[in-house]
Amino acid sequence: MKRRVKVTIEDFAPLRENLNNPEELALYEAANGHTYDAEIEHDGYAVIDLPDGDYIELAPGEYQIMIEEWTKAGTIGALTLETKSDPADDKALLYRLVDASGAETEPPRSLSKQVVELLGKTWFGKK
């Protein structure tokens, strides 16, 4: 499944240990901080085809899934809950409430993706 991801490698030491080719390591360094379309594998790894014909493979902690436009997350009464990635924090999502005309009724609030995931597991997780 293709998803929009941002490369967020914080520690290059494990990559330096596993990659023997400096040119391959340079691909990861150049991609870091940039957003790409990636194929997310069943094991959580992301494969990014780079523009020059090369590719990189990222472990789950080396990228963040990005939602670049406001996306409907659900409804609360007559209001619509929308979300998108927080441009100030790659590990957070913005949420806002809008009315039927699209006007904000509550300003955007930032929540950590980890908090959102934990709340989802607590409320809707199956034992």
Side-chain angles (χ1 to χ4, degrees):
M1 164 191 349
K2 286 266 188 190
R3 300 291 301 267
R4 194 79 172 148
V5 300
K6 183 172 184 180
V7 182
T8 56
I9 302 170
E10 295 174 1
D11 182 11
F12 280 91
L15 284 172
R16 283 188 193 96
E17 290 176 19
N18 294 324
L19 300 175
N20 297 327
N21 183 343
E23 292 173 5
E24 194 174 357
L25 181 61
L27 293 175
Y28 286 85
E29 290 171 341
N32 199 31
H34 296 282
T35 305
Y36 301 93
D37 289 323
E39 186 73 33
I40 307 296
E41 304 290 331
H42 67 281
D43 58 2
Y45 279 76
V47 178
I48 297 173
D49 292 322
L50 298 172
D52 59 3
D54 289 317
Y55 75 93
I56 59 174
E57 188 172 345
L58 303 169
E62 297 174 337
Y63 69 91
Q64 293 291 320
I65 293 176
M66 304 301 284
I67 303 168
E68 295 176 320
E69 302 294 328
W70 285 109
T71 303
K72 182 178 177 179
T75 56
I76 301 172
L79 302 176
T80 300
L81 177 65
E82 294 181 336
T83 187
K84 76 174 189 173
S85 296
D86 187 339
D89 183 357
D90 295 332
K91 296 181 180 182
L93 294 168
L94 290 175
Y95 290 91
R96 71 178 183 179
L97 285 173
V98 297
D99 61 20
S101 68
E104 284 183 358
T105 60
E106 292 217 15
R109 294 182 187 181
S110 183
L111 286 175
S112 160
K113 290 178 183 177
Q114 185 178 14
V115 168
V116 174
E117 181 180 11
L118 291 173
L119 287 171
K121 285 180 180 177
T122 299
W123 284 98
F124 307 109
K126 296 180 180 179
K127 293 182 180 182

